[in-house]
Amino acid sequence: REGAPEDAEAVETVHYRSRDAAYRGRVPGWPVPEVGRRERIRRWRSWLSDPDILALIGEVDGDIVGFCTVRAATDDDLDPETDSEMPTLYLHPDWWRRGYGSALSEEAVRRVGELGFQTLRLWVLDANEGARAFYASLGFRDDGATKVDEGVPRHRIEARRYRLDL
């Protein structure tokens, strides 16, 4: 289903727990101590209210177990008319490797294709080998672009951009 502002608390929980499971002990500076839960919920409520962002929610028995977001591409070297991006795809770690990430990704691909986009892009931290392998299994390929992720202050963490032609 599509996400709504009232999903912000559950989305924040999934987002934080997923990142914690993926990065604790592997990414310096994680968890980020400066940003509290209240602020993260406020940010998610804002994202889930933005008409330019499509949030897709995965539920089991009424509980949110995962989500992803898609929108027109925002990178300067991409065309927002033809290129889309998936800035987030997160599953609660209790639900990893059960097909929900694939289902959310497939729905995102379907939706951006219906909107007329030609590509779907996303960024993955170099340190997240599991995510890189997951996206490769779905047909995403490294497009050669790299950047320093700003999500963990005071640490240089590289990310790679992946591309899927629709």
Side-chain angles (χ1 to χ4, degrees), residues 5 9-11 17 20 43 52 69 72 75 77 80-81 83 91 97 108 115 127 137 152 155:
E9 285 188 45
V11 164
R17 292 212 176 137
D20 194 46
R43 288 181 192 171
D52 294 328
T69 56
D75 291 338
D77 64 328
E81 297 294 318
D83 300 307
L91 290 172
R97 294 173 187 81
L115 292 171
S137 76
V152 181
H155 294 281

Side-chain angles (χ1 to χ4, degrees), residues 1-154:
R1 71 171 173 86
E2 290 189 20
E6 55 269 17
D7 296 321
E9 285 188 45
V11 164
E12 184 279 333
T13 296
V14 168
H15 184 227
Y16 190 86
R17 292 212 176 137
S18 178
R19 287 181 55 148
D20 194 46
Y23 302 139
R24 185 178 291 271
R26 298 179 61 223
V27 172
W30 179 261
V32 179
E34 292 86 13
V35 180
R37 185 165 195 261
R38 189 172 299 141
E39 174 61 17
R40 292 190 308 266
I41 291 169
R42 186 195 67 72
R43 288 181 192 171
W44 276 113
R45 193 167 285 118
S46 175
W47 264 57
L48 293 166
S49 299
D50 188 330
D52 294 328
I53 299 172
L54 171 63
L56 300 171
I57 302 291
E59 291 182 320
V60 173
D61 297 329
D63 293 326
I64 294 175
V65 301
F67 68 92
C68 75
T69 56
V70 290
R71 64 183 177 192
T74 59
D75 291 338
D76 291 340
D77 64 328
L78 300 178
D79 181 348
E81 297 294 318
T82 58
D83 300 307
S84 63
E85 67 184 15
M86 184 166 42
T88 66
L89 170 62
Y90 289 93
L91 290 172
H92 190 286
D94 292 347
W95 295 92
W96 286 357
R97 294 173 187 81
R98 297 189 188 193
Y100 293 99
S102 295
L104 283 166
S105 296
E106 289 167 9
E107 182 64 11
V109 167
R110 186 182 74 76
R111 296 281 191 107
V112 296
E114 286 177 351
L115 292 171
F117 291 104
Q118 296 173 9
T119 70
L120 177 59
R121 311 289 179 114
L122 54 87
W123 288 95
V124 183
L125 295 183
D126 280 346
N128 196 341
E129 296 90 6
R132 291 190 353 244
F134 169 75
Y135 291 120
S137 76
L138 297 175
F140 285 87
R141 298 293 174 248
D142 185 333
D143 75 1
T146 62
K147 70 177 181 178
V148 174
D149 188 272
E150 303 296 331
V152 181
R154 298 181 305 279

